[in-house]
Amino acid sequence: AQTVTQSQPEMSVQEAETVTLSCTYDTSENNYYLFWYKQPPSRQMILVIRQEAYKQQNATENRFSVNFQKAAKSFSLKISDSQLGDTAMYFCAFTTRNNAGNMLTFGGGTRLMVKP
Amino acid sequence: NAGVTQTPKFQVLKTGQSMTLQCAQDMNHEYMSWYRQDPGMGLRLIHYSVGAGITDQGEVPNGYNVSRSTTEDFPLRLLSAAPSQTSVYFCASSYSYLGTEAFFGQGTRLTVV
């Protein structure tokens, strides 16, 4: 069974600073995708960034980037120049073709507070 | 483009009552699913569907039923509500290829008293 672990239940960062959220996963599959989803207080789930396991280059989306360490099964999210609007729950998630209907396995989440 | 529409947004039920959470998507996605979100546990898969007429159980299916008669709709039925089903429920849809983005509804906060 695949598992996803987020070891930081809560984090805080000052506005404009950089913060890194950790995620580890466990799988025996070689072909899979990893995601970070953001859930602001509105409760809407928003895709932040995704990474294909076969790609060695780390994915980036504007201020968001990942550090994908396949051998270590680690997938951390770095948020640069943090903004107040980044305050949210962040979920790391994983999927592989052998998952039920391409469904997602989620970590427990990290609550991020950006302080002014 | 409405995306994934989920209703209601809030609901209070008494123990033993039944109800249906509605989910509809207008993106012609093959895959639809229901998750529940509980503190510290992330989102866990309840049931999913890979197409009209095809459904299967996820990680936590007990106490819930689903059906999928059309591509667009995927309702979740609580047969006899229990306090353990107090949670936030999300419907999601996506295309079938690996790595595709899942689109989520706005969630339903359900309280069973």
Short mmCIF file of all heavy atoms in Angstrom, two decimals, chain A residues 31-33 35 37 39 42-47 50 89 91 95-97 100-109, chain B residues 9-10 31 33 35 37 40-43 45 48 50 88 90 96-102 104-109:
data_model
loop_
_atom_site.label_atom_id
_atom_site.label_comp_id
_atom_site.label_asym_id
_atom_site.label_seq_id
_atom_site.Cartn_x
_atom_site.Cartn_y
_atom_site.Cartn_z
N ASN A 31 6.36 4.28 -11.85
CA ASN A 31 5.67 5.29 -12.62
C ASN A 31 4.58 5.92 -11.76
O ASN A 31 3.57 5.29 -11.47
CB ASN A 31 5.06 4.67 -13.88
CG ASN A 31 4.50 5.72 -14.81
OD1 ASN A 31 4.82 6.91 -14.71
ND2 ASN A 31 3.64 5.30 -15.71
N TYR A 32 4.80 7.15 -11.35
CA TYR A 32 3.83 7.80 -10.48
C TYR A 32 3.97 9.31 -10.58
O TYR A 32 4.91 9.82 -11.17
CB TYR A 32 3.96 7.34 -9.03
CG TYR A 32 5.35 7.50 -8.42
CD1 TYR A 32 5.72 8.68 -7.80
CD2 TYR A 32 6.25 6.44 -8.45
CE1 TYR A 32 6.98 8.80 -7.24
CE2 TYR A 32 7.52 6.56 -7.90
CZ TYR A 32 7.88 7.74 -7.29
OH TYR A 32 9.12 7.88 -6.73
N TYR A 33 3.01 10.00 -10.02
CA TYR A 33 3.01 11.45 -9.96
C TYR A 33 2.85 11.88 -8.50
O TYR A 33 2.16 11.23 -7.71
CB TYR A 33 1.84 12.04 -10.76
CG TYR A 33 2.14 12.24 -12.23
CD1 TYR A 33 2.11 11.17 -13.10
CD2 TYR A 33 2.41 13.51 -12.74
CE1 TYR A 33 2.36 11.35 -14.45
CE2 TYR A 33 2.66 13.70 -14.08
CZ TYR A 33 2.64 12.61 -14.93
OH TYR A 33 2.88 12.79 -16.27
N PHE A 35 1.92 15.44 -6.10
CA PHE A 35 1.22 16.72 -6.18
C PHE A 35 1.31 17.44 -4.84
O PHE A 35 1.43 16.81 -3.78
CB PHE A 35 -0.27 16.51 -6.47
CG PHE A 35 -0.59 15.70 -7.69
CD1 PHE A 35 -0.60 14.32 -7.63
CD2 PHE A 35 -0.93 16.32 -8.88
CE1 PHE A 35 -0.92 13.56 -8.75
CE2 PHE A 35 -1.26 15.58 -9.99
CZ PHE A 35 -1.24 14.19 -9.93
N TYR A 37 -1.37 20.13 -3.13
CA TYR A 37 -2.63 20.85 -3.21
C TYR A 37 -2.70 21.84 -2.05
O TYR A 37 -2.27 21.56 -0.93
CB TYR A 37 -3.82 19.89 -3.12
CG TYR A 37 -4.20 19.24 -4.43
CD1 TYR A 37 -3.58 18.07 -4.85
CD2 TYR A 37 -5.16 19.80 -5.27
CE1 TYR A 37 -3.93 17.47 -6.05
CE2 TYR A 37 -5.52 19.21 -6.47
CZ TYR A 37 -4.89 18.05 -6.86
OH TYR A 37 -5.23 17.46 -8.05
N GLN A 39 -5.30 24.22 0.30
CA GLN A 39 -6.69 24.39 0.73
C GLN A 39 -6.79 25.63 1.60
O GLN A 39 -6.52 25.60 2.80
CB GLN A 39 -7.19 23.17 1.50
CG GLN A 39 -8.67 23.24 1.85
CD GLN A 39 -9.14 22.05 2.67
OE1 GLN A 39 -8.50 21.65 3.64
NE2 GLN A 39 -10.26 21.46 2.29
N SER A 42 -11.34 29.01 2.44
CA SER A 42 -12.56 28.80 1.64
C SER A 42 -12.88 27.32 1.45
O SER A 42 -13.98 26.97 1.02
CB SER A 42 -12.41 29.45 0.26
OG SER A 42 -11.42 28.76 -0.50
N ARG A 43 -11.93 26.45 1.74
CA ARG A 43 -12.07 24.99 1.67
C ARG A 43 -11.84 24.44 0.25
O ARG A 43 -11.78 23.22 0.08
CB ARG A 43 -13.47 24.56 2.16
CG ARG A 43 -13.51 23.24 2.87
CD ARG A 43 -14.78 23.10 3.66
NE ARG A 43 -15.98 23.14 2.84
CZ ARG A 43 -17.21 23.40 3.35
NH1 ARG A 43 -17.36 23.66 4.63
NH2 ARG A 43 -18.25 23.43 2.55
N GLN A 44 -11.71 25.32 -0.73
CA GLN A 44 -11.49 24.84 -2.09
C GLN A 44 -10.11 24.22 -2.23
O GLN A 44 -9.13 24.78 -1.78
CB GLN A 44 -11.62 26.03 -3.07
CG GLN A 44 -11.49 25.64 -4.53
CD GLN A 44 -12.66 24.79 -4.99
OE1 GLN A 44 -13.81 25.13 -4.78
NE2 GLN A 44 -12.35 23.67 -5.63
N MET A 45 -10.02 23.06 -2.86
CA MET A 45 -8.75 22.38 -3.11
C MET A 45 -8.18 22.90 -4.44
O MET A 45 -8.85 22.83 -5.48
CB MET A 45 -8.95 20.87 -3.19
CG MET A 45 -9.38 20.25 -1.88
SD MET A 45 -8.06 20.15 -0.68
CE MET A 45 -7.09 18.82 -1.36
N ILE A 46 -6.94 23.38 -4.38
CA ILE A 46 -6.32 24.00 -5.56
C ILE A 46 -4.98 23.32 -5.82
O ILE A 46 -4.15 23.22 -4.91
CB ILE A 46 -6.09 25.50 -5.31
CG1 ILE A 46 -7.41 26.20 -4.98
CG2 ILE A 46 -5.42 26.15 -6.53
CD1 ILE A 46 -7.23 27.58 -4.37
N LEU A 47 -4.76 22.87 -7.04
CA LEU A 47 -3.47 22.27 -7.39
C LEU A 47 -2.40 23.36 -7.44
O LEU A 47 -2.55 24.37 -8.13
CB LEU A 47 -3.57 21.58 -8.75
CG LEU A 47 -2.27 20.95 -9.25
CD1 LEU A 47 -1.82 19.83 -8.33
CD2 LEU A 47 -2.43 20.45 -10.68
N ARG A 50 2.84 19.85 -9.67
CA ARG A 50 2.90 18.40 -9.81
C ARG A 50 4.26 18.00 -10.36
O ARG A 50 4.93 18.77 -11.05
CB ARG A 50 1.77 17.90 -10.70
CG ARG A 50 2.04 17.96 -12.18
CD ARG A 50 0.84 17.53 -13.00
NE ARG A 50 0.05 18.70 -13.36
CZ ARG A 50 -1.09 18.64 -14.04
NH1 ARG A 50 -1.61 17.47 -14.37
NH2 ARG A 50 -1.74 19.73 -14.34
N MET A 89 -4.02 25.23 4.33
CA MET A 89 -3.56 23.85 4.52
C MET A 89 -2.92 23.41 3.22
O MET A 89 -3.45 23.69 2.13
CB MET A 89 -4.73 22.93 4.84
CG MET A 89 -5.20 22.98 6.27
SD MET A 89 -4.07 22.22 7.42
CE MET A 89 -4.28 20.50 7.00
N PHE A 91 -1.55 19.98 1.21
CA PHE A 91 -1.57 18.52 1.18
C PHE A 91 -0.65 18.00 0.10
O PHE A 91 -0.71 18.44 -1.06
CB PHE A 91 -2.98 18.01 0.89
CG PHE A 91 -3.96 18.26 2.01
CD1 PHE A 91 -4.84 19.33 1.94
CD2 PHE A 91 -4.01 17.43 3.11
CE1 PHE A 91 -5.76 19.57 2.95
CE2 PHE A 91 -4.92 17.66 4.13
CZ PHE A 91 -5.79 18.74 4.05
N THR A 95 -0.16 9.57 -6.82
CA THR A 95 -0.99 8.64 -7.59
C THR A 95 -0.12 7.80 -8.50
O THR A 95 0.90 8.25 -9.00
CB THR A 95 -2.05 9.39 -8.41
OG1 THR A 95 -2.98 8.45 -8.94
CG2 THR A 95 -1.43 10.15 -9.57
N THR A 96 -0.58 6.59 -8.73
CA THR A 96 0.08 5.69 -9.65
C THR A 96 -0.99 4.94 -10.42
O THR A 96 -2.13 4.86 -9.96
CB THR A 96 1.01 4.70 -8.91
OG1 THR A 96 1.57 3.80 -9.85
CG2 THR A 96 0.25 3.91 -7.87
N ARG A 97 -0.63 4.40 -11.56
CA ARG A 97 -1.63 3.72 -12.38
C ARG A 97 -2.30 2.59 -11.61
O ARG A 97 -3.46 2.27 -11.83
CB ARG A 97 -0.99 3.19 -13.66
CG ARG A 97 -1.95 2.40 -14.54
CD ARG A 97 -3.22 3.17 -14.86
NE ARG A 97 -3.00 4.25 -15.78
CZ ARG A 97 -3.93 5.16 -16.11
NH1 ARG A 97 -5.11 5.11 -15.56
NH2 ARG A 97 -3.66 6.10 -16.97
N ALA A 100 -6.49 2.90 -7.41
CA ALA A 100 -7.85 2.73 -7.85
C ALA A 100 -8.28 3.88 -8.74
O ALA A 100 -8.45 4.99 -8.29
CB ALA A 100 -8.77 2.66 -6.63
N GLY A 101 -8.43 3.60 -10.02
CA GLY A 101 -8.92 4.61 -10.93
C GLY A 101 -8.13 5.89 -10.94
O GLY A 101 -8.69 6.97 -11.08
N ASN A 102 -6.81 5.78 -10.80
CA ASN A 102 -5.97 6.98 -10.83
C ASN A 102 -6.31 7.92 -9.68
O ASN A 102 -6.20 9.14 -9.79
CB ASN A 102 -6.14 7.70 -12.18
CG ASN A 102 -5.01 8.65 -12.47
OD1 ASN A 102 -3.93 8.51 -11.94
ND2 ASN A 102 -5.27 9.64 -13.30
N MET A 103 -6.72 7.38 -8.56
CA MET A 103 -7.10 8.21 -7.43
C MET A 103 -5.88 8.62 -6.62
O MET A 103 -4.78 8.11 -6.79
CB MET A 103 -8.09 7.45 -6.53
CG MET A 103 -9.43 7.17 -7.20
SD MET A 103 -10.29 8.66 -7.76
CE MET A 103 -10.14 8.52 -9.53
N LEU A 104 -6.11 9.58 -5.73
CA LEU A 104 -5.03 10.19 -4.98
C LEU A 104 -4.94 9.63 -3.57
O LEU A 104 -5.96 9.40 -2.92
CB LEU A 104 -5.24 11.70 -4.90
CG LEU A 104 -5.18 12.45 -6.23
CD1 LEU A 104 -5.80 13.84 -6.09
CD2 LEU A 104 -3.75 12.57 -6.70
N THR A 105 -3.71 9.45 -3.10
CA THR A 105 -3.44 9.16 -1.69
C THR A 105 -2.83 10.42 -1.09
O THR A 105 -1.82 10.93 -1.58
CB THR A 105 -2.47 7.99 -1.55
OG1 THR A 105 -3.04 6.83 -2.16
CG2 THR A 105 -2.20 7.70 -0.08
N PHE A 106 -3.45 10.92 -0.02
CA PHE A 106 -3.06 12.19 0.57
C PHE A 106 -2.30 11.99 1.87
O PHE A 106 -2.53 11.04 2.61
CB PHE A 106 -4.30 13.04 0.90
CG PHE A 106 -4.96 13.65 -0.29
CD1 PHE A 106 -5.93 12.96 -0.99
CD2 PHE A 106 -4.62 14.93 -0.72
CE1 PHE A 106 -6.55 13.51 -2.10
CE2 PHE A 106 -5.23 15.49 -1.82
CZ PHE A 106 -6.19 14.78 -2.51
N GLY A 107 -1.39 12.95 2.16
CA GLY A 107 -0.82 13.06 3.48
C GLY A 107 -1.80 13.76 4.41
O GLY A 107 -2.87 14.22 4.00
N GLY A 108 -1.40 13.87 5.68
CA GLY A 108 -2.28 14.44 6.68
C GLY A 108 -2.39 15.96 6.64
O GLY A 108 -3.25 16.53 7.30
N GLY A 109 -1.51 16.62 5.88
CA GLY A 109 -1.60 18.06 5.71
C GLY A 109 -0.68 18.84 6.63
O GLY A 109 -0.31 18.38 7.71
N LYS B 9 -23.59 22.67 0.93
CA LYS B 9 -22.32 23.07 1.52
C LYS B 9 -22.26 22.74 3.01
O LYS B 9 -21.18 22.50 3.56
CB LYS B 9 -22.08 24.56 1.30
CG LYS B 9 -21.84 24.92 -0.13
CD LYS B 9 -21.53 26.40 -0.30
CE LYS B 9 -21.28 26.72 -1.77
NZ LYS B 9 -21.03 28.17 -1.98
N PHE B 10 -23.39 22.75 3.65
CA PHE B 10 -23.46 22.42 5.07
C PHE B 10 -24.70 21.56 5.31
O PHE B 10 -25.72 21.74 4.64
CB PHE B 10 -23.56 23.68 5.94
CG PHE B 10 -22.42 24.62 5.79
CD1 PHE B 10 -22.47 25.66 4.89
CD2 PHE B 10 -21.28 24.47 6.56
CE1 PHE B 10 -21.40 26.53 4.74
CE2 PHE B 10 -20.21 25.34 6.43
CZ PHE B 10 -20.27 26.38 5.51
N TYR B 31 -13.30 9.98 -14.64
CA TYR B 31 -13.14 9.59 -13.24
C TYR B 31 -13.87 10.56 -12.31
O TYR B 31 -13.75 11.78 -12.46
CB TYR B 31 -11.66 9.57 -12.85
CG TYR B 31 -10.85 8.45 -13.45
CD1 TYR B 31 -9.47 8.44 -13.33
CD2 TYR B 31 -11.44 7.41 -14.14
CE1 TYR B 31 -8.71 7.43 -13.87
CE2 TYR B 31 -10.69 6.38 -14.68
CZ TYR B 31 -9.31 6.40 -14.55
OH TYR B 31 -8.56 5.39 -15.08
N SER B 33 -14.91 10.76 -7.90
CA SER B 33 -14.61 10.13 -6.63
C SER B 33 -15.16 10.97 -5.48
O SER B 33 -15.44 12.16 -5.65
CB SER B 33 -13.10 9.96 -6.47
OG SER B 33 -12.43 11.20 -6.65
N TYR B 35 -14.20 11.81 -1.37
CA TYR B 35 -13.26 11.74 -0.28
C TYR B 35 -13.91 12.32 0.97
O TYR B 35 -14.78 13.17 0.89
CB TYR B 35 -12.01 12.57 -0.58
CG TYR B 35 -11.16 12.09 -1.73
CD1 TYR B 35 -11.43 12.48 -3.03
CD2 TYR B 35 -10.05 11.27 -1.51
CE1 TYR B 35 -10.64 12.06 -4.09
CE2 TYR B 35 -9.25 10.84 -2.56
CZ TYR B 35 -9.55 11.24 -3.84
OH TYR B 35 -8.76 10.82 -4.89
N GLN B 37 -12.59 14.29 4.59
CA GLN B 37 -11.44 14.96 5.20
C GLN B 37 -11.65 15.06 6.69
O GLN B 37 -12.63 15.67 7.15
CB GLN B 37 -11.24 16.37 4.62
CG GLN B 37 -10.07 17.11 5.22
CD GLN B 37 -9.91 18.51 4.67
OE1 GLN B 37 -10.69 18.96 3.84
NE2 GLN B 37 -8.88 19.21 5.11
N GLY B 40 -5.95 15.87 10.62
CA GLY B 40 -4.74 15.07 10.76
C GLY B 40 -4.67 13.86 9.86
O GLY B 40 -3.65 13.17 9.83
N MET B 41 -5.74 13.59 9.12
CA MET B 41 -5.77 12.38 8.29
C MET B 41 -5.84 12.69 6.82
O MET B 41 -5.93 11.78 5.99
CB MET B 41 -6.96 11.51 8.71
CG MET B 41 -6.96 11.15 10.18
SD MET B 41 -8.23 10.00 10.64
CE MET B 41 -7.56 8.49 9.97
N GLY B 42 -5.80 13.93 6.45
CA GLY B 42 -5.87 14.29 5.05
C GLY B 42 -7.21 13.91 4.46
O GLY B 42 -8.23 13.88 5.14
N LEU B 43 -7.21 13.60 3.18
CA LEU B 43 -8.42 13.16 2.48
C LEU B 43 -8.31 11.67 2.22
O LEU B 43 -7.27 11.19 1.75
CB LEU B 43 -8.59 13.90 1.15
CG LEU B 43 -9.15 15.32 1.21
CD1 LEU B 43 -8.13 16.30 1.75
CD2 LEU B 43 -9.63 15.75 -0.17
N LEU B 45 -10.20 8.22 0.45
CA LEU B 45 -11.11 7.86 -0.62
C LEU B 45 -12.25 6.98 -0.10
O LEU B 45 -12.01 5.95 0.54
CB LEU B 45 -10.33 7.12 -1.71
CG LEU B 45 -11.10 6.70 -2.96
CD1 LEU B 45 -11.60 7.93 -3.72
CD2 LEU B 45 -10.23 5.83 -3.85
N TYR B 48 -15.27 5.46 -5.75
CA TYR B 48 -14.86 6.10 -6.98
C TYR B 48 -15.55 5.44 -8.17
O TYR B 48 -16.13 4.35 -8.04
CB TYR B 48 -13.34 6.04 -7.16
CG TYR B 48 -12.79 4.65 -7.38
CD1 TYR B 48 -12.52 4.17 -8.66
CD2 TYR B 48 -12.52 3.82 -6.30
CE1 TYR B 48 -12.01 2.90 -8.86
CE2 TYR B 48 -12.02 2.54 -6.48
CZ TYR B 48 -11.77 2.09 -7.75
OH TYR B 48 -11.26 0.83 -7.95
N VAL B 50 -14.96 4.93 -12.57
CA VAL B 50 -14.12 5.13 -13.75
C VAL B 50 -14.96 5.39 -15.00
O VAL B 50 -14.41 5.57 -16.08
CB VAL B 50 -13.16 3.95 -13.98
CG1 VAL B 50 -12.25 3.78 -12.78
CG2 VAL B 50 -13.92 2.67 -14.26
N VAL B 88 -15.84 16.51 6.58
CA VAL B 88 -16.01 17.33 5.39
C VAL B 88 -15.84 16.41 4.17
O VAL B 88 -14.85 15.68 4.08
CB VAL B 88 -15.00 18.48 5.32
CG1 VAL B 88 -15.20 19.29 4.04
CG2 VAL B 88 -15.12 19.39 6.54
N PHE B 90 -15.65 15.75 0.02
CA PHE B 90 -15.28 16.35 -1.26
C PHE B 90 -15.56 15.38 -2.40
O PHE B 90 -15.23 14.21 -2.33
CB PHE B 90 -13.81 16.72 -1.29
CG PHE B 90 -13.46 17.91 -0.47
CD1 PHE B 90 -13.02 17.78 0.83
CD2 PHE B 90 -13.58 19.19 -1.01
CE1 PHE B 90 -12.70 18.88 1.59
CE2 PHE B 90 -13.27 20.31 -0.25
CZ PHE B 90 -12.82 20.15 1.04
N SER B 96 -8.71 10.41 -17.39
CA SER B 96 -8.22 9.09 -17.01
C SER B 96 -6.70 8.95 -17.10
O SER B 96 -6.15 8.01 -16.54
CB SER B 96 -8.87 8.02 -17.88
OG SER B 96 -8.52 8.22 -19.25
N TYR B 97 -6.00 9.87 -17.77
CA TYR B 97 -4.56 9.63 -17.95
C TYR B 97 -3.81 9.94 -16.66
O TYR B 97 -4.17 10.83 -15.89
CB TYR B 97 -4.01 10.42 -19.13
CG TYR B 97 -4.16 11.92 -19.06
CD1 TYR B 97 -3.20 12.71 -18.44
CD2 TYR B 97 -5.26 12.55 -19.64
CE1 TYR B 97 -3.34 14.08 -18.39
CE2 TYR B 97 -5.41 13.91 -19.60
CZ TYR B 97 -4.43 14.68 -18.97
OH TYR B 97 -4.59 16.02 -18.91
N LEU B 98 -2.72 9.19 -16.43
CA LEU B 98 -1.96 9.30 -15.20
C LEU B 98 -1.36 10.70 -15.06
O LEU B 98 -0.81 11.24 -16.00
CB LEU B 98 -0.84 8.26 -15.20
CG LEU B 98 0.02 8.22 -13.93
CD1 LEU B 98 -0.82 7.85 -12.72
CD2 LEU B 98 1.18 7.26 -14.11
N GLY B 99 -1.52 11.26 -13.86
CA GLY B 99 -0.94 12.56 -13.58
C GLY B 99 -1.84 13.73 -13.88
O GLY B 99 -1.47 14.88 -13.65
N THR B 100 -3.05 13.43 -14.36
CA THR B 100 -3.97 14.52 -14.64
C THR B 100 -4.40 15.23 -13.37
O THR B 100 -4.45 14.64 -12.29
CB THR B 100 -5.20 13.98 -15.39
OG1 THR B 100 -6.07 15.06 -15.72
CG2 THR B 100 -5.96 13.01 -14.52
N GLU B 101 -4.74 16.49 -13.50
CA GLU B 101 -5.19 17.26 -12.35
C GLU B 101 -6.59 16.82 -11.94
O GLU B 101 -7.48 16.65 -12.78
CB GLU B 101 -5.20 18.74 -12.69
CG GLU B 101 -5.73 19.63 -11.58
CD GLU B 101 -5.74 21.10 -11.94
OE1 GLU B 101 -5.31 21.42 -13.07
OE2 GLU B 101 -6.16 21.92 -11.11
N ALA B 102 -6.80 16.65 -10.65
CA ALA B 102 -8.14 16.39 -10.12
C ALA B 102 -8.79 17.73 -9.75
O ALA B 102 -8.15 18.59 -9.15
CB ALA B 102 -8.06 15.48 -8.90
N PHE B 104 -11.86 19.60 -7.69
CA PHE B 104 -12.66 19.32 -6.52
C PHE B 104 -13.85 20.26 -6.42
O PHE B 104 -13.79 21.43 -6.83
CB PHE B 104 -11.81 19.49 -5.26
CG PHE B 104 -10.79 18.41 -5.06
CD1 PHE B 104 -9.58 18.45 -5.73
CD2 PHE B 104 -11.03 17.34 -4.21
CE1 PHE B 104 -8.62 17.45 -5.57
CE2 PHE B 104 -10.10 16.34 -4.03
CZ PHE B 104 -8.89 16.39 -4.71
N GLY B 105 -14.92 19.73 -5.84
CA GLY B 105 -16.03 20.58 -5.44
C GLY B 105 -15.65 21.37 -4.20
O GLY B 105 -14.55 21.22 -3.66
N GLN B 106 -16.57 22.22 -3.74
CA GLN B 106 -16.27 23.10 -2.62
C GLN B 106 -16.44 22.43 -1.27
O GLN B 106 -16.19 23.05 -0.24
CB GLN B 106 -17.14 24.35 -2.70
CG GLN B 106 -16.69 25.31 -3.80
CD GLN B 106 -17.33 26.67 -3.66
OE1 GLN B 106 -18.55 26.79 -3.69
NE2 GLN B 106 -16.53 27.70 -3.48
N GLY B 107 -16.85 21.19 -1.26
CA GLY B 107 -16.94 20.45 -0.02
C GLY B 107 -18.28 20.61 0.68
O GLY B 107 -18.98 21.62 0.51
N THR B 108 -18.62 19.59 1.46
CA THR B 108 -19.82 19.61 2.30
C THR B 108 -19.39 19.32 3.73
O THR B 108 -18.77 18.29 3.99
CB THR B 108 -20.81 18.51 1.87
OG1 THR B 108 -21.25 18.75 0.54
CG2 THR B 108 -22.01 18.48 2.81
N ARG B 109 -19.70 20.26 4.62
CA ARG B 109 -19.43 20.01 6.03
C ARG B 109 -20.66 19.35 6.64
O ARG B 109 -21.71 19.97 6.74
CB ARG B 109 -19.10 21.29 6.78
CG ARG B 109 -18.80 21.05 8.27
CD ARG B 109 -18.34 22.30 8.98
NE ARG B 109 -17.03 22.75 8.52
CZ ARG B 109 -15.88 22.24 8.92
NH1 ARG B 109 -15.87 21.25 9.80
NH2 ARG B 109 -14.74 22.74 8.46
#
